[in-house]
Amino acid sequence: MTGATQNRPADAGAQRAAARGAVGPPDAPPPPPPPPAAPQAPYAPQAPYGAFPPATGRGSTDVTAEGLPGWLDPVVAAARTVRPAQLSRFLPPEDGRGRQSAVLILFGEGPRGPELLLMERASSLRSHPGQPSFPGGALDPEDGDPRTTGPLRAALREAEEETGLDPAGVQLFGVLPRLYIPVSEFVVTPVLGWWRTPSPIDAVDPAETARVFTVPVADLTDPGHRVTVVHPSGHQGPAFTVESALVWGFTAGVIDRILHFAGWELPWDRSRHVPLDWRS
């Protein structure tokens, strides 16, 4: 299905989770994003992901932009040029501290055009209960080298374990710079994917995941769905009110920057504040 332009879409169990180190939004949302930086030379990722052959398991760690729909071109370009500091002020410690992890930012096409895959953590979890996030989690030893294809395998594996999607239908097309979540000490690699062959999705483990859902990009760009979330600590950050959920923290921060650098962002009222207990 179409409904997209080249530059911006128009219509567009608890213990197990703790052991696996699922990545969700931090306890406090990130600060407001920095203003757009002037054009710079392309950012060189820490590893030439696209040079690696396909993985031997389910899904492929081959990274290619060939055959993508045209509306993803701005995201591909942004992934190749954006620098870490343009995404967040929280970057991996230079001394190598932090638990390596990855998330899958999966784009697909639905009835209303381009969309993103998200999941909502179970309300019974002690860490980030009820919060929406990208599928993802900490790297396992079998995922391999965190400096090369380890994050790619982890992103696909975690997405399959959490949402039930078939990773064989996912085409990886980019990797964003590694970011850092200070409160959990996660070093997160955001992996970009195109859902070339959609498959059924659902919460695989209800004790860990409350639901799995997709959000039209048109709703994410709609100014009416954009708010500034206010944490009890006073911290503020971008958020989205979509699909009966408040998307905030790390997940919202990354979405916000993707929309901006892909040229899809529309002017929105940053003074429209909502508390984290917005439903009460």
Side-chain angles (χ1 to χ4, degrees), residues 101-144:
S101 60
V103 295
L104 180 63
I105 304 176
L106 185 60
F107 290 90
E109 288 199 51
R112 294 180 54 203
E115 60 186 15
L116 269 178
L117 176 68
L118 295 177
M119 50 174 277
E120 186 174 304
R121 291 168 59 79
S123 60
S124 59
L125 295 178
R126 289 183 299 176
S127 177
H128 316 300
Q131 295 182 14
S133 68
F134 301 118
L139 270 67
D140 285 348
E142 58 267 28
D143 292 323

Side-chain angles (χ1 to χ4, degrees), residues 160-186:
E160 181 178 18
E161 292 177 1
E162 293 175 331
T163 73
L165 68 76
D166 183 356
V170 175
Q171 175 182 336
L172 303 182
F173 68 86
V175 180
L176 297 179
R178 293 179 176 93
L179 304 176
Y180 187 60
I181 303 180
V183 68
S184 59
E185 297 186 341
F186 276 115

Side-chain angles (χ1 to χ4, degrees), residues 138-223:
L139 270 67
D140 285 348
E142 58 267 28
D143 292 323
D145 191 341
R147 298 168 298 178
T148 56
T149 56
L152 309 182
R153 291 188 177 92
L156 291 172
R157 173 182 54 77
E158 287 283 345
E160 181 178 18
E161 292 177 1
E162 293 175 331
T163 73
L165 68 76
D166 183 356
V170 175
Q171 175 182 336
L172 303 182
F173 68 86
V175 180
L176 297 179
R178 293 179 176 93
L179 304 176
Y180 187 60
I181 303 180
V183 68
S184 59
E185 297 186 341
F186 276 115
V187 175
V188 187
T189 299
V191 179
L192 299 168
W194 159 238
W195 210 353
R196 175 176 295 281
T197 307
S199 54
I201 54 173
D202 200 359
V204 175
D205 185 355
E208 178 182 346
T209 306
R211 63 173 174 142
V212 179
F213 59 100
T214 57
V215 180
V217 173
D219 287 350
L220 294 169
T221 60
D222 185 343

Side-chain angles (χ1 to χ4, degrees), residues 26-40:
D27 291 337
Q40 303 181 58

Side-chain angles (χ1 to χ4, degrees), residues 165-280:
L165 68 76
D166 183 356
V170 175
Q171 175 182 336
L172 303 182
F173 68 86
V175 180
L176 297 179
R178 293 179 176 93
L179 304 176
Y180 187 60
I181 303 180
V183 68
S184 59
E185 297 186 341
F186 276 115
V187 175
V188 187
T189 299
V191 179
L192 299 168
W194 159 238
W195 210 353
R196 175 176 295 281
T197 307
S199 54
I201 54 173
D202 200 359
V204 175
D205 185 355
E208 178 182 346
T209 306
R211 63 173 174 142
V212 179
F213 59 100
T214 57
V215 180
V217 173
D219 287 350
L220 294 169
T221 60
D222 185 343
H225 292 293
R226 304 214 57 180
V227 296
T228 296
V229 73
V230 182
H231 190 270
S233 67
H235 291 290
Q236 301 180 9
F240 303 83
T241 54
V242 291
E243 301 297 323
S244 302
L246 178 66
V247 182
W248 65 283
F250 175 85
T251 303
V254 173
I255 294 175
D256 172 82
R257 295 293 79 197
I258 290 176
L259 298 180
H260 174 78
F261 286 107
W264 296 347
E265 182 179 37
L266 296 175
W268 59 283
D269 185 2
R270 297 177 184 272
S271 68
R272 184 182 169 207
H273 292 178
V274 299
L276 280 182
D277 58 348
W278 66 296
R279 292 178 181 175
S280 60

